[in-house]
């Protein structure tokens, strides 16, 4: 069965590699065409007086290149720091620090609550005091959050999770807000660098960084024999990111709250009077909330299907995760391809299609119990994730004004954080329901083991409960569901 997953990963690598090469060739052809146009413009300058137009074109191309050179390295470092922490935080709390499950749940809930509360004000503060300053604040706050795991003091750990929640809100709001506003202020829409392609490249890079960060984090843990190592490595990523931001980025501000009219407009957006912003907020909450549940359930779901096929070998979760990231990367490149060719569909139509496909991919896992089909449906969902994030980012970039961008982006995070807190409070019930749907044993199809004689019925359910510190689940079979006497 491992060969099946290895074959799928190889297929994703080949397809993604071919698409990257195709995009590279397209970019080179476009650059060559641009150079020819510049050369023609230079030859015609004396006769037609177009020196100003030529110089502005060259300046715009130079500005676009400078913009990508200062934004993408920071983006990779910031997301690398975030990906380094994710796989190890539960193991760190539960196994290394020996915290009770209840305390671990409260720590996670604290982080999401801090994210929800901070979303009310961090965006408006970023608009008022500068998005560049807010990005620097993120690096400092997240570094402090990472340092907190070095302590065994429970109060310090809770403070660290609160800082982590605040940092997550900043990460999902101020960097994107700075990027879109800077893009508009530089007038880069007149160049070949389109906003949609930037969002597509961001998700592509995030997918690659996720896989690399997981591998690097595991190496650090193996070397140091402590799960704190990836958090220290995260600080090492944030330090150069802070340096680039401080030395290379220009500041941009919003005007949210600067006058009564802006305050009134922000209140309207907060209350959902603006239908476009409300629609984006609800879509974001539902899709990203479903994505969070998917992250929680995909491994037990695949393990259940694996057991139903009478396979008792360990699943190659690393290869499966890498395949998911490959699917997400493919989705981001498909988004760029589709948006480049406007004849296919608009970004709004693409976003609608992605939501429908993602819903269907999760829905059909209930009806198909094959491990192969379940895996492919999960890959389809990840492909949709790869298209969703750049499409959502592009739509928000067009709907929300630069003046209050960070503020509104922050408000859009509130429903999602509330959703996650509620989901965490229902975790135990969710695991049981999910296990029943995915792990109903073969004997369920042929009736009770007592036949038709009224004997007791023992159905082979495979209840999967978290196995602390191993990222896996403990199997509990043969649940007696005999009727009460």
């Amino acid at each position: 069965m491992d060969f099946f997953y290895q074959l799928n990963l190889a297929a994703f690598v080949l397809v993604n590699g071919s698409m990257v090469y195709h995009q590279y060739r397209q970019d080179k052809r476009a650059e060559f065409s641009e150079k020819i146009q510049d050369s023609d413009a230079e030859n015609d300058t004396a006769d037609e007086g177009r020196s100003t137009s030529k110089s502005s074109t060259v300046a715009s191309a130079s500005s676009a290149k400078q913009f990508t050179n200062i934004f993408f390295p920071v983006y990779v470092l910031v997301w690398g720091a975030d990906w380094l922490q994710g796989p190890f935080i539960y193991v760190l709390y539960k196994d290394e620090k020996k915290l009770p499950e209840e305390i671990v749940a409260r720590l996670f809930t604290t982080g999401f609550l801090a994210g929800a509360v901070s979303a009310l004000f961090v965006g408006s503060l970023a608009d008022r005091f500068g998005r560049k300053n807010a990005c620097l604040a993120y690096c400092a706050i997240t570094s402090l959050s990472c340092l907190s795991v070095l302590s065994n003091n429970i109060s310090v750990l809770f403070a660290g999770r609160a800082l982590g929640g605040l940092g997550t809100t900043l990460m999902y709001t101020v960097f994107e807000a700075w990027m879109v506003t800077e893009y508009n202020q530089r007038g880069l829409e007149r160049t070949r660098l389109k906003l949609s392609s930037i969002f597509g490249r961001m998700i592509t890079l995030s997918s690659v960084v996720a896989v690399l960060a997981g591998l690097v984090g595991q190496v650090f843990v193996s070397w140091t024999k402590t799960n704190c190592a990836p958090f220290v490595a995260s600080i090492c990523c944030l330090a150069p990111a802070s340096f680039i931001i401080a030395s290379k980025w220009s500041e941009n501000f919003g005007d949210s709250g600067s006058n009564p009219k802006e305050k009134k407009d922000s209140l309207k957006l907060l209350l959902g009077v603006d239908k476009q912003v409300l629609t984006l907020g609800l879509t974001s909450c539902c899709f990203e909330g479903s994505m969070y549940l998917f992250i929680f359930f995909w491994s037990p779901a695949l393990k259940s299907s694996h057991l139903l096929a009478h396979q008792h070998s360990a699943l190659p979760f690393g290869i499966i995760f890498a395949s998911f990231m490959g699917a997400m990367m493919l989705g981001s490149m498909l988004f760029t391809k589709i948006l480049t060719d406007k004849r296919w569909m608009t970004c709004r139509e693409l976003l609608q299609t992605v939501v429908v496909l993602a819903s269907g991919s999760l829905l059909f896992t209930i009806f198909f119990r094959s491990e192969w089909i379940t895996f492919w449906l999960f890959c389809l969902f990840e492909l949709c994730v790869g298209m969703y994030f750049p499409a959502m980012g592009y739509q928000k970039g067009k709907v929300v004004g630069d003046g209050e961008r960070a503020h509104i982006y922050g408000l859009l995070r509130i429903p999602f954080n509330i959703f996650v807190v509620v989901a965490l409070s229902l975790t135990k019930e969710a695991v049981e329901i999910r296990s029943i749907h995915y792990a109903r044993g073969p004997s369920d199809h042929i009736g009770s083991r007592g036949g038709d004689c009224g004997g007791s019925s023992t159905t082979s359910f495979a209840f999967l409960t978290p196995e602390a510190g191993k990222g896996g689940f403990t199997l509990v079979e043969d649940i007696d569901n005999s009727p009460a006497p």
Side-chain angles (χ1 to χ4, degrees):
M1 198 64 192
D2 284 3
F3 178 73
F4 166 76
Y5 291 111
Q6 293 169 357
L7 186 64
N8 278 273
L9 178 58
F12 279 121
V13 170
L14 288 174
V15 173
N16 285 325
S18 63
M19 290 197 68
V20 168
Y21 178 72
H22 177 71
Q23 185 62 46
Y24 173 77
R25 292 290 301 272
Q26 278 191 328
D27 291 343
K28 284 298 181 183
R29 283 196 295 266
E31 285 181 15
F32 181 72
S33 177
E34 200 172 72
K35 287 180 180 179
I36 293 177
Q37 292 176 359
D38 290 344
S39 178
D40 292 341
E42 185 176 359
N43 293 333
D44 295 338
T45 295
D47 297 331
E48 302 182 16
R50 289 186 290 179
S51 58
T52 303
S53 174
K54 174 182 176 295
S55 62
S56 64
T57 301
V58 174
S60 296
S62 175
S63 180
K65 186 175 182 179
Q66 181 191 40
F67 174 76
T68 56
N69 287 342
I70 63 175
F71 175 71
F72 283 117
V74 170
Y75 180 83
V76 167
L77 289 168
V78 166
W79 278 90
D82 186 65
W83 280 113
L84 278 169
Q85 302 170 51
F88 303 98
I89 189 165
Y90 177 85
V91 179
L92 175 67
Y93 288 150
K94 182 65 178 176
D95 285 4
E96 191 163 321
K97 297 189 180 296
K98 307 297 183 184
L99 297 177
E101 188 71 38
E102 182 182 359
I103 298 298
V104 175
R106 288 179 181 177
L107 283 166
F108 278 97
T109 303
T110 298
F112 285 110
L113 283 174
V117 173
S118 62
L120 291 168
F121 60 84
V122 295
S124 59
L125 291 177
D127 288 337
R128 179 172 300 176
F129 297 105
R131 284 78 177 262
K132 172 183 173 180
N133 289 330
C135 291
L136 289 171
Y138 162 80
C139 294
I141 290 169
T142 303
S143 296
L144 289 175
S145 175
C146 292
L147 284 174
S148 70
V149 303
L150 300 177
S151 172
N152 291 322
N153 186 291
I154 193 65
S155 298
V156 174
L157 294 177
F158 270 100
R161 287 315 309 148
L163 289 174
L166 172 59
T168 300
T169 298
L170 284 168
M171 184 180 73
Y172 278 95
T173 56
V174 296
F175 286 93
E176 189 175 316
W178 181 90
M179 184 274 290
V180 176
T181 302
E182 187 72 11
Y183 177 91
N184 292 332
Q185 289 181 351
R186 289 176 181 243
L188 299 181
E189 66 275 0
R190 299 190 300 269
T191 68
R192 291 189 301 107
L193 184 64
K194 302 304 178 186
L195 190 60
S196 58
S197 67
I198 294 176
F199 280 111
R201 197 182 305 179
M202 287 164 61
I203 302 305
T204 300
L205 289 172
S206 177
S207 304
V208 175
V209 169
V211 177
L212 294 178
L215 295 174
V216 171
Q218 190 59 55
V219 169
F220 285 159
V221 170
S222 299
W223 283 353
T224 61
K225 308 301 181 185
T226 174
N227 289 292
C228 293
F231 294 85
V232 177
S234 294
I235 300 175
C236 296
C237 290
L238 294 171
S242 301
F243 175 78
I244 297 173
I245 294 170
S247 59
K248 302 294 185 181
W249 285 22
S250 59
E251 185 62 276
N252 61 53
F253 298 88
D255 49 15
S256 172
S258 60
N259 57 65
K261 182 180 182 300
E262 292 293 342
K263 290 181 180 180
K264 183 178 179 181
D265 290 342
S266 296
L267 182 60
K268 282 185 177 182
L269 290 168
L270 175 61
L271 295 176
V273 175
D274 189 302
K275 292 183 179 180
Q276 293 186 22
V277 175
L278 176 62
T279 301
L280 290 177
L282 292 176
T283 303
S284 175
C285 173
C286 295
F287 190 97
E288 294 175 34
S290 299
M291 186 184 68
Y292 175 82
L293 293 179
F294 172 80
I295 292 171
F296 185 82
F297 285 122
W298 73 261
S299 57
L302 279 177
K303 192 168 183 179
S304 298
S305 299
H306 192 65
L307 292 169
L308 284 175
H310 305 290
Q311 300 286 333
H312 298 283
S313 58
L315 282 170
F317 287 111
I319 294 176
I320 294 171
F321 174 76
S323 298
F324 288 166
M325 293 299 101
M328 190 167 75
M329 181 178 177
L330 178 60
S332 67
M333 289 189 287
L334 285 175
F335 165 83
T336 303
K337 177 66 176 176
I338 292 171
L339 265 290
T340 300
D341 190 348
K342 297 290 186 180
R343 292 173 298 176
W344 288 23
M345 62 179 69
T346 64
C347 185
R348 184 178 64 178
E349 293 169 341
L350 176 61
L351 189 57
Q352 292 171 337
T353 304
V354 164
V355 171
V356 172
L357 278 176
S359 301
S361 66
L362 295 181
L363 177 65
F364 282 115
T365 56
I366 298 175
F367 305 107
F368 297 98
R369 298 175 182 176
S370 165
E371 182 180 350
W372 292 14
I373 296 177
T374 300
F375 170 76
W376 284 330
L377 287 171
F378 285 170
C379 286
L380 175 60
F381 180 78
E382 286 288 353
L383 185 141
C384 291
V385 171
M387 289 191 285
Y388 162 82
F389 276 107
M392 176 59 73
Y394 181 78
Q395 283 297 107
K396 289 192 295 184
K398 293 299 183 182
V399 170
V400 181
D402 289 339
E404 51 191 7
R405 187 173 301 281
H407 180 47
I408 301 306
Y409 282 12
L411 296 180
L412 292 176
R413 296 283 301 171
I414 296 175
F416 165 73
N417 281 286
I418 294 174
F419 179 95
V420 171
V421 171
V422 173
L424 281 174
S425 67
L426 300 175
T427 294
K428 182 178 179 181
E429 291 81 357
V431 169
E432 292 176 354
I433 293 172
R434 184 65 180 77
S435 300
I436 290 172
H437 276 304
Y438 278 91
R440 195 179 294 270
S443 63
D444 194 40
H445 294 284
I446 58 176
S448 66
R449 294 181 180 176
D452 293 326
C453 302
S456 64
S457 171
T458 305
T459 306
S460 291
F461 289 112
F463 278 88
L464 298 170
T465 57
E467 189 172 11
K470 298 182 181 179
F473 287 77
T474 301
L475 177 66
V476 182
E477 295 183 295
D478 295 334
I479 306 299
D480 186 10
N481 59 347
S482 305

